[in-house]
Amino acid sequence: MLDVFKVKENNSTFARELVGGITTFLAMAYILAVNPAILSETGMDFGAVFTATALSSAIATFVMAFAANLPAALAPAMGLNAFFTYTVVKMMGCSYQFALTAVLIEGFVFIALSLTGVREAIIEAIPSCLKKSITVGIGLFITIVGLFNSGVCSTDSSVVGTVIGFVDFNFSNATALVTVIGLVLTIILYLLKIPGAILIGIIATTVIGIPFGVTQVPHGFSAVSLPSSPTLFAFDFKGILSGKFLIVLFTFLFSDMFNTIGTLTGVAEQGNLKNKDGSIKNVRQALLADAVGTVAGACLGTSTVSTYVESASGIAVGARTGLASFVTACFFLLSLFFSPVFALIPSCATAPALIFVGYMMMKPVLGIKFEDPTEGIPAFITISVTPFAYSISKGIAFGIIAYVFCKFVTKRAREVKPVTWVLFVLFIGELVFEAVN
């Protein structure tokens, strides 16, 4: 197994990869509960979506492990599952079969783009300053995810605009309190150089949550359950030539493409998973993993599959190869039969891991040349937009626009690669499209 994934050649060990794979799984296991909850609002069966979520995640992550040999895990993308349910089905009045058909075709388009190297060319067109800022932006992004999922941060829309603030820490807000306790514990373990500090923190925080009432152990708890059958091949091809279908397809395609590109760029920068020329290792195979996962997910009955930023938590504890992804994929398969066990892990137990990994992803900011405003301003915009717009793809879009604009104004347009100019035009076009719709 070690030879297959070249663990020693990548300066890692079996233990690090094992801990990294488990850590990544625990950090993203919430998708097993959240995705079925969101998609079931379309009329789909909760149990069927749970099975589809676990299977599609496992399939895509196995492809990442064996084809790309990278420690990145995949699952149905948050955000796109909400678009699937609340926009396509509820707002636009489409059936979930219509939406799954769009996901299927998107997946086939991605396979074509990945095999022809188009997506790879897009990654290479992203300037170095933006690659570093994407990593930092993702760090802040997953920190905010952890803060909100745990209740440490809240929003108040009762005033003009939306105010983001920290809640009061008291025993009536047990989730926030347990999150802070878990974060302090994780920091202590890390400072003491305890191997697997983040994973131990997740498990310990889950246990700590029991007396606080946030880790719910139901009466008559049984660890084992049989999986439901997925919703297979539930497609509707009748409306694929309509303008509505093209809008849905374009949204899935565009958002997923740049979310995946941004995530891969970020985790590669964090774990130094790069070739000598600075390109991401086995990037074409990595991009193929989410394309195959998306097609598989659509056939099984779930929304678009994408690379998860939570992979950074596994990389943070030492994962460097596809062996970690293999471990994560195996746990997704196990979850089919042990869903009650994984359902015990509360969001306030994984939140400390996400928040702490946010800190660990700050380092690339030191490599950004802020003294050059044509590099520093686009980097700052990318770092700012990614967390506050709650979108990796938006962070990339505004970063590219700012980069080309700054280079053009300072008469340094020759430094902009041709593909970057194409991205600039596409992103401007997307902004105009959103404005008129």
Side-chain angles (χ1 to χ4, degrees):
M1 184 67 75
L2 297 180
D3 291 337
V4 171
F5 296 107
K6 301 178 181 178
V7 173
K8 291 182 179 180
E9 292 179 30
N10 286 280
N11 299 315
S12 186
T13 64
F14 177 81
R16 286 182 195 166
E17 299 300 311
L18 178 63
V19 171
I22 297 173
T23 302
T24 293
F25 173 77
L26 291 178
M28 60 188 290
Y30 66 87
I31 195 62
L32 292 169
V34 175
N35 195 54
I38 291 175
L39 295 191
S40 62
E41 293 189 40
T42 67
M44 301 178 76
D45 179 72
F46 184 97
V49 178
F50 179 93
T51 300
T53 302
L55 285 176
S56 61
S57 302
I59 291 168
T61 306
F62 275 132
V63 174
M64 181 68 78
F66 289 104
N69 195 24
L70 291 175
L74 302 93
M78 288 296 294
L80 287 176
N81 53 8
F83 174 75
F84 183 108
T85 296
Y86 302 114
T87 300
V88 180
V89 175
K90 292 198 169 186
M91 186 182 296
M92 299 174 68
C94 303
S95 65
Y96 71 79
Q97 293 91 340
F98 178 94
L100 284 174
T101 306
V103 173
L104 176 72
I105 294 177
E106 174 212 348
F108 281 123
V109 172
F110 270 171
I111 289 176
L113 293 178
S114 300
L115 292 176
T116 56
V118 172
R119 297 174 79 189
E120 188 177 351
I122 291 173
I123 291 181
E124 293 175 357
I126 298 175
S128 176
C129 65
L130 294 190
K131 287 180 179 177
K132 292 180 172 63
S133 59
I134 287 169
T135 305
V136 178
I138 289 175
L140 294 175
F141 176 86
I142 63 175
T143 298
I144 287 179
V145 170
L147 291 171
F148 275 96
N149 285 354
S150 63
V152 173
C153 261
S154 63
T155 59
D156 182 1
S157 56
S158 60
V159 293
V160 177
T162 300
V163 177
I164 300 174
F166 284 89
V167 299
D168 294 327
F169 298 107
N170 53 59
F171 286 100
S172 64
N173 186 19
T175 56
L177 196 60
V178 171
T179 297
V180 173
I181 293 172
L183 180 59
V184 171
L185 176 61
T186 302
I187 292 173
I188 291 172
L189 292 170
Y190 182 79
L191 292 175
L192 294 177
K193 302 184 186 310
I194 304 296
I198 294 176
L199 174 59
I200 295 171
I202 292 173
I203 297 171
T205 307
T206 299
V207 175
I208 292 169
I210 294 176
F212 283 89
V214 296
T215 301
Q216 302 286 340
V217 183
H219 180 70
F221 173 76
S222 176
V224 181
S225 65
L226 292 175
S228 302
S229 299
T231 306
L232 295 173
F233 308 110
F235 301 124
D236 178 9
F237 292 97
K238 288 183 290 187
I240 62 173
L241 297 180
S242 66
K244 182 186 291 187
F245 184 85
L246 292 177
I247 291 173
V248 172
L249 176 63
F250 177 81
T251 303
F252 276 134
L253 190 70
F254 199 84
S255 298
D256 189 25
M257 177 182 291
F258 288 98
N259 274 335
T260 295
I261 287 174
T263 301
L264 280 175
T265 301
V267 297
E269 194 75 33
Q270 182 199 7
N272 194 29
L273 307 172
K274 299 182 291 184
N275 299 310
K276 292 182 179 180
D277 62 357
S279 60
I280 301 172
K281 290 182 179 179
N282 303 324
V283 64
R284 184 172 298 188
Q285 296 91 324
L287 293 170
L288 190 61
D290 81 313
V292 171
T294 294
V295 171
C299 293
L300 291 165
T302 188
S303 52
T304 301
V305 171
S306 186
T307 308
Y308 260 58
V309 294
E310 284 81 0
S311 303
S313 61
I315 293 172
V317 298
R320 291 295 181 271
T321 73
L323 179 56
S325 297
F326 175 80
V327 171
T328 302
C330 288
F331 270 86
F332 271 118
L333 291 181
L334 282 173
S335 69
L336 289 168
F337 302 95
F338 295 94
S339 58
V341 175
F342 299 115
L344 289 178
I345 303 172
S347 59
C348 60
T350 55
L354 298 180
I355 295 167
F356 189 72
V357 169
Y359 147 73
M360 302 184 79
M361 296 184 74
M362 291 296 103
K363 187 176 180 180
V365 76
L366 299 173
I368 299 173
K369 300 177 181 178
F370 283 105
E371 65 275 12
D372 180 353
T374 67
E375 303 273 324
I377 291 174
F380 168 73
I381 289 174
T382 302
I383 292 170
S384 302
V385 172
T386 299
F388 295 125
Y390 215 65
S391 171
I392 297 170
S393 59
K394 289 292 184 188
I396 296 174
F398 281 95
I400 290 288
I401 291 171
Y403 179 82
V404 174
F405 175 79
C406 289
K407 293 295 184 182
F408 179 79
V409 170
T410 55
K411 299 180 181 179
R412 294 166 59 182
R414 63 184 180 279
E415 297 178 20
V416 181
K417 296 179 180 178
V419 177
T420 310
W421 276 105
V422 173
L423 293 178
F424 171 80
V425 173
L426 288 175
F427 287 134
I428 292 293
E430 184 198 19
L431 292 178
V432 173
F433 178 80
E434 289 181 354
V436 298
N437 287 279

